[in-house]
Amino acid sequence: MAGSVVRLARGGFHDECGVCAVLGHPDAANLVYLGLYALQHRGQESAGIAAFDGRELRAYKEMGHVADVFDRERLEQLSGWAAVGHVRYSTAGDSTLVNAQPVVAKTHRGQLALSHNGNLVNAIRLRHDLEQQGAIFQSTSDSEVFLHLLARSKAPTLEAALVETLDAAVGAYSLAVLCDGRLFAARDPHGFRPLVLGRLGEAWVVASETCAFDLIEARLVRQVGPGEIVELSGEEPRVLRPAAPGPHAHCVFEHVYFARPDSEVFGENVGMARERMGGQLAREHPARADVVVAVPDSGVPAALGFSRESGIPFVLGLVRNHYVGRTFIEPRQSIRHFGVKIKLNPVRSVVEGKRVVLVDDSIVRGTTSRKIVMMLKAAGASEVHLRICSPPTVGPCFYGIDTPERRELIASAKSVEEIRAYVGADSLGYLSEAGMLSCLTSPSESFCTACFSLDYRVLDQEHAEVIEKHKR
Ligand code: AMP
């Protein structure tokens, strides 16, 4: 899912999400729960599952991580052979339970549950029109728009209503929809967010990323094509709307940062793509250094690629604490860089006296990089050469990745040299856009690079005007 409509109106906060669904398995909810566990990186704020047993749709959603939201008792209450689940992350404002997914409703079409990853750019307009017609919204999430459109459609069949609904939606959507035991999967015609189909014995599985399949030992069948709507039943998915011809707009940031390195996304392995990008980064911005250090975890594959290409040894110079929660109690006398320090610790004996190449996937506000560079220097690194495995992030995402407003993006206002000075590195190099795209198997024009290039494929009027102003 889905930026909330309210926050979108305030200027560009968005949510990151993961979806998972199973049809035709007696343990459907349990499998979805495990799938969501594997997709936890896509959203840590709320988790939910809706399950159908042939008679009733039952749902449970709560704020928190999958492991905290569900226990055995809760899962046992979600009995049935079909289930759809969701993990959601949002940064501010509307991180409330009403916005948690799947969105569920009893409609004249049946008992409906829907999980959405992405962001509609025409959600505000659609919602306004629906409200004018008397629709009462329960949440501020744009995903609820789908529900109202589906419930109100006059189309004769559920399939036709679904096609009509999705034809009205503009922007990014990867969806799993469960209606009275029928499971549908759909992707927007640009194919912004990933969505894959798999099988587990006779059962069908849908997920944002293949890492969800690996955990439950499901077999990847194929991606849902951009623009495609399928019903999952029998041996072959039944196509309700065929895939749209390209050029598509797959989110390149899934490969840079968002997706898990063990997943196949847009037809290729994420970790290997990141390693190739790290190699390309080493060719574009070589450094005279003694060691390559990754910012864990996201910088690790790129740092390996950099190390392999440059011949500079990869060392574990920063160690991540994986058990850090959302809040921590700081001692009265505050500790410098506490927020970063509690997560990442430089290893003095590894970096002391060394010229370090520090590799990270991206710089957003620049605050993390600045603190890490300072920590490495405090730990004795003689030089820190920062290498970023993507181009400067200059624009917000309107398609489902959480990025701050443009003015908070350091690269939107500062030059590379100014950023280098701000973060305190001895040198700074960003991977070029062409270099990044050359490391991916699909053709360059099939990727959305808007956060790096301001080349937005679809925008509503309001955002188009803002972006045009920025470009000038
Ligand atoms: P910053 O201090 O804002 O520059 O943070 C940069 C770090 O945030 C990088 O190490 C990235 O791995 C990470 N990052 C990049 N994009 C996102 C995102 N959309 N959500 C959360 N973390 C991100």
Side-chain angles (χ1 to χ4, degrees):
M1 121 105 186
S4 70
V5 170
V6 168
R7 286 186 302 126
L8 202 71
R10 285 209 307 260
F13 281 102
H14 301 277
D15 307 322
E16 304 173 329
C17 303
V19 309
C20 184
V22 168
L23 178 82
H25 197 288
D27 269 337
N30 205 325
L31 293 170
V32 166
Y33 156 82
L34 292 174
L36 294 180
Y37 224 107
L39 297 171
Q40 186 75 79
H41 61 289
R42 297 187 71 88
Q44 296 92 46
E45 203 148 74
S46 66
I49 299 175
F52 186 72
D53 62 3
R55 275 181 307 138
E56 213 177 324
L57 184 79
R58 295 183 193 86
Y60 187 76
K61 318 180 239 187
E62 193 46 83
M63 304 304 285
H65 287 190
V66 178
D68 302 324
V69 170
F70 294 100
D71 56 21
R72 176 143 303 279
E73 207 179 317
R74 290 237 183 279
L75 283 177
E76 275 167 8
Q77 285 160 4
L78 297 171
S79 57
W81 39 264
V84 50
H86 191 264
V87 284
R88 174 178 191 258
Y89 169 80
S90 80
T91 47
D94 298 307
S95 51
T96 56
L97 188 55
V98 289
N99 282 337
Q101 295 198 33
V103 286
V104 287
K106 286 199 164 119
T107 72
H108 71 99
R109 304 235 174 245
Q111 300 178 72
L112 225 138
L114 178 147
S115 290
H116 171 208
N117 173 210
N119 236 109
L120 298 186
V121 297
N122 66 341
I124 295 172
R125 200 162 317 131
L126 288 174
R127 183 183 173 119
H128 176 264
D129 293 349
L130 286 160
E131 282 176 336
Q132 292 294 311
Q133 294 159 31
I136 298 168
F137 278 76
Q138 306 289 329
S139 72
T140 55
S141 133
D142 62 350
S143 308
E144 203 187 335
V145 167
F146 290 117
L147 214 63
H148 286 274
L149 288 172
L150 262 173
R152 283 167 172 262
S153 163
K154 304 237 175 339
T157 61
L158 172 62
E159 295 94 308
L162 195 56
V163 173
E164 188 184 286
T165 295
L166 298 189
D167 281 346
V170 180
Y173 56 85
S174 281
L175 293 173
V177 184
L178 183 63
C179 187
D180 274 353
R182 295 173 68 186
L183 180 62
F184 302 88
R187 247 173 117 199
D188 66 79
H190 296 275
F192 281 107
R193 302 275 141 239
L195 195 67
V196 281
L197 301 176
R199 298 216 76 172
L200 178 59
E202 298 287 290
W204 280 102
V205 191
V206 181
S208 293
E209 292 179 36
T210 58
C211 62
F213 293 172
D214 297 338
L215 180 58
I216 61 175
E217 298 188 326
R219 172 176 60 84
L220 171 67
V221 173
R222 66 172 175 89
Q223 306 186 56
V224 178
E228 198 180 21
I229 309 173
V230 293
E231 177 171 9
L232 300 165
S233 61
E235 274 310 298
E236 288 298 322
R238 191 160 77 88
V239 177
L240 309 186
R241 186 176 75 180
H248 300 127
H250 307 313
C251 168
V252 77
F253 206 68
E254 293 272 354
H255 275 303
V256 167
Y257 167 77
F258 197 39
R260 249 172 64 160
D262 49 341
S263 285
E264 300 280 318
V265 162
F266 310 134
E268 69 182 305
N269 173 261
V270 174
M272 285 166 73
R274 277 182 202 160
E275 268 196 59
R276 288 196 296 275
M277 289 183 200
Q280 177 66 19
L281 182 60
R283 286 189 288 278
E284 290 185 15
H285 298 284
R288 266 184 216 279
D290 305 306
V291 289
V292 173
V293 171
V295 178
D297 295 322
S298 51
V300 170
L304 283 171
F306 193 107
S307 165
R308 193 163 301 142
E309 178 66 26
S310 63
I312 303 169
F314 173 93
V315 295
L316 288 175
L318 281 168
V319 172
R320 189 184 185 104
N321 181 340
H322 287 271
Y323 308 98
V324 179
R326 308 213 111 214
T327 55
F328 11 78
I329 302 153
E330 215 179 330
R332 265 181 215 103
Q333 196 185 358
S334 69
I335 297 170
R336 279 190 321 130
H337 314 313
F338 187 72
V340 171
K341 227 178 217 171
I342 198 164
K343 287 186 208 137
L344 291 174
N345 191 27
V347 186
R348 177 173 286 276
S349 50
V350 172
V351 299
E352 196 162 31
K354 298 283 192 326
R355 295 170 300 172
V356 173
V357 177
L358 177 66
V359 182
D360 203 356
D361 59 275
S362 58
I363 297 181
V364 183
R365 294 180 175 86
T367 46
T368 312
S369 311
R370 180 180 160 91
K371 287 172 185 168
I372 295 172
V373 171
M374 280 182 191
M375 288 196 314
L376 283 171
K377 290 211 163 172
S382 60
E383 292 173 18
V384 178
H385 300 277
L386 183 59
R387 296 293 180 266
I388 301 298
C389 211
S390 60
T393 309
V394 290
C397 178
F398 300 115
Y399 313 121
I401 293 278
D402 169 54
T403 38
E405 286 182 55
R406 193 172 144 82
R407 64 186 144 83
E408 291 175 59
L409 297 169
I410 190 168
S412 73
K414 286 190 187 335
S415 67
V416 174
E417 171 51 25
E418 285 167 335
I419 299 170
R420 183 207 62 73
Y422 173 78
V423 301
D426 294 278
S427 71
L428 169 63
Y430 282 93
L431 182 61
S432 68
E433 188 180 329
M436 170 181 72
L437 293 170
S438 74
C439 298
L440 299 167
T441 316
S442 305
S444 300
E445 59 277 14
S446 63
F447 285 98
C448 171
T449 58
C451 55
F452 305 124
S453 63
L454 299 181
D455 175 16
Y456 293 89
R457 304 281 176 90
V458 276
L459 280 181
D460 65 351
Q461 190 61 26
E462 182 197 350
H463 290 114
E465 282 165 17
V466 174
I467 295 301
E468 270 316 306
K469 218 164 65 198
H470 286 311
K471 279 186 181 168
R472 283 199 290 270

